[in-house]
Amino acid sequence: MAARIIDGKQIAQDIRAELKETVAELKATHGVTPGLGVILVGDDPASRSYVTAKERACEEIGIYSDDNRLPAETTQEELLALVGKMNRDPKIHGILVQLPLPKHIDESAVLLAIDPDKDVDGFHPVSVGRMVIGEKAFLSCTPHGVIQLLQRSGVTLDGADVVIVGRSNIVGKPLANMLIQKWDKGNATVTVCHTRTKNLAEHTRRADIVIAAAGRPNTVTADMVREGAVVIDVGVNRVDDPTRERGYRLVGDVDFAAVAEKASLITPVPGGVGPMTITMLLFNTVESAKSTL
Ligand code: L34
């Protein structure tokens, strides 16, 4: 079977068009412009491009963004002070501190400093805890984006056997917890595999839906996927490629060409999950602004 490709860019665009209308309505009827505080520390090229894309997307749909690009030497105190200022700023409904942070900064201390009511990344322990026990919470953007991609592609989650490869705090763990919830975005049976899993292929071969979030190219190969399975590739890896102008190309965690021959549905990299991560950040920012009315 040759897979149908899930067009993440198109689905992201559809959601952004919906959000744009909501933003216009918020402005017209309540005089409220959703605002996102953006903080990037250091000059990691990938982070810089993601943050720029997020700010551009904000502008596109009418969200105000407060751009803060800080040098790599920024101290934890300075960063915490900026977060505190954004917590108190009524124009700001969401705060994004792009990760990873430089090594001298304690990431969890910074995430803990964000007001949970403005935690549009869904990384604060309060947000994570609420989500896990099934209370209303900001859902972190990449896992929520994956679920939106599946639902908007007509994939049934209810009762599905899902295997997630990767146990990170920003993808694997939250996604597994969302997918097991008793709600419309869940009701799946979830297995989380990781570097200590004994026989990875044995697990992935049984899955209706395989989600690769390991951060390593070729983690999922064709022999590991059942004929007709749905494959979501969360990986974004830069590999050297002297034939490209930029000197690199992007690949996911899945051997795309071979797996696409077996899967029924598959996401590409780029143009799959990445644009959805950005879109769900916009979604959370709009939700946060709505909740202040
Ligand atoms: N705080 N830190 C915080 N929130 C996040 O949600 C993130 N994440 C991850 C890294 N750190 C974070 C992102 O923004 C990963 N991530 C992210 C965002 C966007 C894209 C990829 C990862 C993306 O747009 N990818 C494009 C290709 C971009 C390119 O050309 O480099 C794609 O089509 O996959």
Side-chain angles (χ1 to χ4, degrees):
M1 187 190 297
R4 182 158 65 86
I5 291 173
I6 297 177
D7 187 345
K9 253 175 123 165
Q10 182 61 52
I11 295 172
Q13 224 174 63
D14 295 345
I15 299 174
R16 288 180 200 187
E18 296 165 19
L19 288 172
K20 191 173 181 171
E21 284 183 24
T22 309
V23 170
E25 216 175 278
L26 273 173
K27 282 184 201 174
T29 53
H30 301 280
V32 171
T33 300
L36 178 68
V38 179
I39 306 177
L40 172 62
V41 186
D43 42 32
D44 174 70
S47 297
R48 213 170 3 182
S49 90
Y50 301 155
V51 164
T52 301
K54 288 174 183 183
E55 290 176 334
R56 234 183 256 141
C58 280
E59 194 181 350
E60 216 180 273
I61 71 158
I63 294 177
Y64 153 76
S65 72
D66 177 11
D67 174 84
N68 294 267
R69 312 252 172 154
L70 309 179
E73 311 78 59
T74 302
T75 65
Q76 184 163 323
E77 290 64 37
E78 289 168 322
L79 181 54
L80 289 173
L82 180 55
V83 169
K85 202 178 90 184
M86 288 179 171
N87 282 341
R88 293 184 295 273
D89 185 343
K91 290 193 302 299
I92 297 204
H93 303 95
I95 300 172
L96 162 69
V97 180
Q98 186 71 18
L99 302 179
L101 289 168
K103 280 193 287 292
H104 66 275
I105 294 176
D106 177 357
E107 214 158 82
S108 60
V110 174
L111 297 180
L112 201 60
I114 295 172
D115 180 343
D117 290 340
K118 299 190 178 188
D119 180 34
V120 288
D121 255 328
F123 291 161
H124 191 289
V126 165
S127 302
V128 179
R130 279 185 189 148
M131 182 272 287
V132 169
I133 62 173
E135 280 180 23
K136 191 170 164 53
F138 289 116
L139 302 179
S140 50
C141 304
T142 303
H144 191 195
V146 167
I147 291 173
Q148 287 291 329
L149 276 183
L150 289 166
Q151 290 191 311
R152 288 175 184 249
S153 305
V155 177
T156 303
L157 294 174
D158 205 305
D161 284 316
V162 179
V163 172
I164 300 172
V165 185
R167 54 174 156 185
S168 70
N169 287 341
I170 72 171
V171 187
K173 278 189 236 172
L175 182 53
N177 281 283
M178 288 176 204
L179 287 170
I180 61 168
Q181 293 296 323
K182 201 170 190 174
W183 64 348
D184 62 331
K185 296 176 172 67
N187 290 322
T189 303
V190 178
T191 304
V192 182
C193 297
H194 46 73
T195 46
R196 295 298 186 96
T197 296
K198 266 191 283 184
N199 191 336
L200 177 59
E202 210 169 83
H203 291 284
T204 56
R205 266 189 225 118
R206 273 201 303 265
D208 301 317
I209 304 171
V210 177
I211 302 173
R216 195 192 63 166
N218 287 313
T219 301
V220 174
T221 51
D223 58 303
M224 296 168 68
V225 174
R226 184 171 64 65
E227 190 77 33
V230 174
V231 179
I232 304 291
D233 193 348
V234 184
V236 194
N237 307 292
R238 292 185 172 200
V239 300
D240 291 337
D241 185 346
T243 70
R244 301 288 174 102
E245 204 177 310
R246 304 191 285 190
Y248 67 88
R249 75 194 141 86
L250 289 181
V251 300
D253 292 351
V254 174
D255 178 4
F256 180 85
V259 173
E261 294 295 315
K262 271 179 108 177
S264 59
L265 273 173
I266 189 169
T267 61
V269 177
V273 175
M276 292 300 290
T277 294
I278 296 175
T279 300
M280 300 330 289
L281 176 71
L282 307 175
F283 175 85
N284 282 345
T285 306
V286 172
E287 285 299 302
S288 183
K290 279 180 8 194
S291 74
T292 63
L293 297 179

